[in-house]
Amino acid sequence: MNRYDFAVYIGRFQPFHDGHLACLTQALDHASKLIVLVGSINRPRNIRDPFSYAERREMIEAAIPLGLRDRVIISGVSDRLYNLPQWVTAVQAAVDGIVGAAAGGDASVILVGHRKDQTSDYLDLFPQWDLCPVEEISILSATQIRDALLGLPEADLAKTLGGQPIPNGVKTLLGDWIASHADAWRALRTEWDFIRRYRSQFEGLRYPPIFQTVDAVVIQAGHILLVERGAHPGRGLLALPGGFLNADERIEDAVIRELREETGIKVPEPVLRGSIRARARYDDPMRSLRGRTITDAFLFDLRPGPLPKIKGGSDARRAHWTSLAEFQSLEAQMFEDHFHIVQDLLGRI
């Protein structure tokens, strides 16, 4: 007889592999039912997050042995990069909602997982649930699987996919997905190759470089200024105006320069400087595919009035004003952590 009513297993599953399946089956040795919470459900498609929530949900369902499927409940949760309490609250709410609907309020819950690296620190955030560290089945890494699939010529894909430590049902889904999303898959492979070549410049260095960038959050009359990226990584995604700090400039000077270069905003420089209402540093170690990148973001709150004229330039295909109401629905189209930067900075005023 299982000791717990519910087990909770949290992961990104990009893609779902044999190690995930082993953890899932171990969890069901401890609990009658398992809640699988899929993370990062609103991320744009990129080489770290190539598959949508719906696609990953289908993978998990295809991997679960037939006799266990009615014991597994799958749900999702969005990232909250710079507001950990919000993410914890979202996880708690998802679990409480599922447990309440299935068993009422009186049910025992256990959190399962294994400590791999700093990404496993979330296991300490839920003291109301017992923690069961499951046995680490292997050193399987979803990153290595993604690299194997994205880094080889398409002609070798079927053979490579067949040799990966992935459940058979997931292999079938991946093969079908790649065949039916050829353009999206080629775009991912192009981005993967760009990142590989970009990072290869720094191989062999004793200390990998840490990059410094700047980003501008420009608000006026209930609108926010966004650009569409014209280059990898993130080509075609929406982003904040910004870029790399030059060696000979101050950070505030850099954000003014990048803002004017990428948007051509028709606002005098003294007015822009006088409109800065907040500034914060964002340093999530995984925030950029290019490598360790820290950004300083500035909130420019322009006085109410007609929206200034803009025109995309530099690395931006185009620039445009978007209502703050519409912006709230754009998380899946935003580059890197820019959606979360905006949410954090706006919360500061």
Side-chain angles (χ1 to χ4, degrees):
M1 182 175 178
N2 293 309
R3 181 182 171 191
Y4 294 90
D5 296 311
F6 291 89
V8 178
Y9 181 27
I10 305 171
R12 287 175 47 247
F13 312 117
Q14 290 276 16
F16 192 84
H17 57 59
D18 287 346
H20 296 138
L21 181 58
C23 288
L24 183 150
T25 54
Q26 279 192 59
L28 288 171
D29 290 337
H30 296 280
S32 299
K33 289 187 177 292
L34 171 64
I35 301 169
V36 178
L37 280 185
V38 180
S40 304
I41 64 172
N42 287 319
R43 293 290 299 149
R45 209 183 290 283
N46 60 50
I47 63 173
R48 187 169 184 264
D49 297 286
F51 306 111
S52 70
Y53 166 60
E55 291 158 357
R56 286 176 284 161
R57 182 184 181 117
E58 191 176 4
M59 290 179 199
I60 297 168
E61 290 172 343
I64 301 171
L66 186 60
L68 300 179
R69 289 183 186 176
D70 62 349
R71 297 174 58 194
V72 179
I73 303 164
I74 305 172
S75 188
V77 63
S78 294
D79 291 337
R80 294 292 182 269
L81 284 186
Y82 301 110
N83 196 324
L84 186 59
Q86 271 192 2
W87 181 81
V88 171
T89 300
V91 171
Q92 292 172 338
V95 172
D96 290 349
I98 293 170
V99 171
D106 187 18
S108 55
V109 179
I110 187 173
L111 179 65
V112 299
H114 65 79
R115 297 187 185 279
K116 181 176 61 174
D117 50 33
Q118 71 274 9
T119 63
S120 305
D121 290 347
Y122 72 90
L123 293 172
D124 298 320
L125 298 176
F126 304 96
Q128 72 271 40
W129 304 327
D130 287 346
L131 175 62
C132 178
V134 296
E135 179 186 352
E136 187 172 359
I137 304 302
S138 69
I139 57 171
L140 291 184
S141 166
T143 300
Q144 293 174 356
I145 294 171
R146 293 194 302 270
D147 286 346
L149 296 177
L150 289 166
L152 290 177
E154 290 186 48
D156 299 330
L157 188 59
K159 180 179 179 180
T160 303
L161 182 58
Q164 294 302 309
I166 301 172
N168 287 332
V170 178
K171 289 180 181 178
T172 300
L173 285 174
L174 283 174
D176 292 344
W177 185 90
I178 292 169
S180 61
H181 294 74
D183 289 344
W185 187 250
R186 290 191 186 101
L188 287 170
R189 291 184 69 244
T190 299
E191 182 174 82
W192 183 91
D193 186 61
F194 171 85
I195 292 296
R196 180 188 60 81
R197 287 186 286 107
Y198 188 93
R199 300 187 75 156
S200 70
Q201 303 173 81
F202 314 109
E203 291 178 357
L205 295 180
R206 183 175 180 182
Y207 300 106
I210 297 176
F211 305 105
Q212 173 70 53
T213 60
V214 292
D215 289 293
V217 178
V218 183
I219 305 294
Q220 180 170 11
H223 287 71
I224 183 170
L225 180 56
L226 301 176
V227 298
E228 180 183 331
R229 287 185 59 82
H232 288 298
R235 177 181 290 175
L237 293 178
L238 299 176
L240 297 171
F244 287 93
L245 175 72
N246 289 334
D248 60 350
E249 64 184 344
R250 297 176 182 272
I251 290 178
E252 183 176 311
D253 295 338
V255 75
I256 297 288
R257 171 183 56 76
E258 286 286 350
L259 173 59
R260 296 171 74 88
E261 286 179 359
E262 292 204 339
T263 72
I265 188 169
K266 299 298 183 181
V267 176
E269 182 174 326
V271 175
L272 289 175
R273 292 186 185 274
S275 300
I276 296 174
R277 296 290 178 265
R279 170 182 175 177
R281 176 162 291 176
Y282 298 94
D283 62 352
D284 185 279
M286 302 298 291
R287 63 175 301 272
S288 179
L289 294 169
R290 291 167 291 193
R292 187 75 164 98
T293 305
I294 298 170
T295 197
D296 279 56
F298 292 73
L299 176 63
F300 297 82
D301 189 8
L302 302 177
R303 295 181 61 181
L307 297 175
K309 292 182 179 181
I310 51 176
K311 182 179 181 181
S314 185
D315 295 329
R317 282 181 179 172
R318 65 189 183 96
H320 62 93
W321 292 99
T322 299
S323 72
L324 287 173
E326 181 184 359
F327 176 79
Q328 298 304 318
S329 67
L330 297 179
E331 182 177 355
Q333 301 175 47
M334 292 293 296
F335 179 61
E336 290 186 343
D337 58 350
H338 289 195
F339 180 86
H340 304 284
I341 288 174
V342 174
Q343 298 290 73
D344 182 67
L345 272 183
L346 289 181
R348 294 175 183 239
I349 60 169

